[in-house]
Amino acid sequence: MSESKRLFFAIELPAPMQRQIVRWRAEHFLAQAGRPVAAANLHLTLAFLGDVSAEKQRALAAMAARITQPGFTLHLDDAGHWLRSRVVWLGTRQPPRGLLQLASMLRAQAARSGCYQNPQPFHPHITLLRNAGQGVAIPPPGFLWALPVNEFVLYESVFARGRTRYTPLQRWTLGNTERNSDEV
Ligand code: 2AM
């Protein structure tokens, strides 16, 4: 039997945007505010899958390939701090319908495949800091990044030598009636 992988579907951020966000984070948060997520790991999760066998991964990929919907633009114009999970995040005040639809579809497919899905509503966010203490001040809105989203990605999460790395495994184009997916 093949080994399972820890997987999730997400929206990838282009490297220049990851760098911009990291610069903004360095300007607005003290070093002790929390543990910063590495630039290359900044992403927006659509559906977390957990530990998945190769067989289940193939089934999930086949279902993902059947999703047909247009792309959308995400406006990152909000930030917040979840005290319970100790996460400081970047997000959007008005999630586009396409984003909610995509996440809902992927989450439903994951649930049908037996991947546990958190019953909490989907809160689209990009985790900026982990282990953030109570007193972290969130910068006032006044920033905005517009991200055209034309694809979604299946990532593997690997924890090795004290670091987490997210590796894209496969990607699917949105706004395309011809179904396609690219192995990365
Ligand atoms: P987080 O950033 O809010 O912690 C890879 O770990 C991605 O999957 C992260 O974006 C993480 O969200 C998300 N994730 C990890 N465990 C999860 C879980 N049990 N339920 C939902 N999302 C999870």
Side-chain angles (χ1 to χ4, degrees):
M1 212 175 89
S2 63
E3 266 179 50
S4 64
K5 292 177 179 167
R6 192 173 174 82
L7 302 179
F8 62 98
F9 286 108
I11 292 170
E12 185 173 46
L13 303 191
M17 185 179 276
Q18 290 174 326
R19 288 195 292 269
Q20 264 184 317
I21 292 173
V22 164
R23 275 199 298 276
W24 176 86
R25 180 177 64 189
E27 282 165 20
H28 289 89
F29 294 95
L30 299 173
Q32 61 268 32
R35 182 160 50 83
V37 172
N41 278 354
L42 293 171
H43 67 278
L44 189 151
T45 295
L46 295 163
F48 180 71
L49 304 171
D51 290 331
V52 170
S53 67
E55 188 187 357
K56 197 179 277 190
Q57 181 184 336
R58 277 194 294 278
L60 286 159
M63 284 191 273
R66 287 202 285 274
I67 293 177
T68 51
Q69 69 161 79
F72 49 86
T73 298
L74 189 59
H75 292 107
L76 298 173
D77 59 358
D78 198 13
H81 181 190
W82 289 327
L83 292 171
R84 262 181 67 181
S85 55
R86 309 189 72 196
V87 156
V88 169
W89 51 266
L90 200 59
T92 178
R93 277 176 280 179
Q94 289 210 310
R97 189 190 299 232
L99 170 67
L100 300 179
Q101 195 179 309
L102 179 59
S104 155
M105 196 84 79
L106 290 168
R107 281 159 56 105
Q109 291 178 344
R112 276 205 298 281
S113 293
C115 303
Y116 172 78
Q117 293 301 289
N118 190 331
Q120 297 288 326
F122 172 62
H123 288 294
H125 67 281
I126 295 163
T127 298
L128 294 180
L129 299 173
R130 296 194 186 277
N131 298 332
Q134 289 215 344
V136 178
I138 300 300
F143 51 87
L144 182 130
W145 287 281
L147 174 64
V149 177
N150 300 309
E151 62 176 24
F152 61 98
V153 179
L154 178 67
Y155 280 94
E156 179 179 8
S157 169
V158 176
F159 185 76
R161 284 185 242 125
R163 280 168 190 243
T164 300
R165 244 185 65 200
Y166 302 141
T167 307
L169 298 182
Q170 206 172 344
R171 49 183 82 236
W172 292 268
T173 307
L174 294 170
N176 205 335
T177 45
E178 270 180 50
R179 291 320 303 145
N180 56 54
S181 90
D182 294 323
E183 299 284 337
V184 177

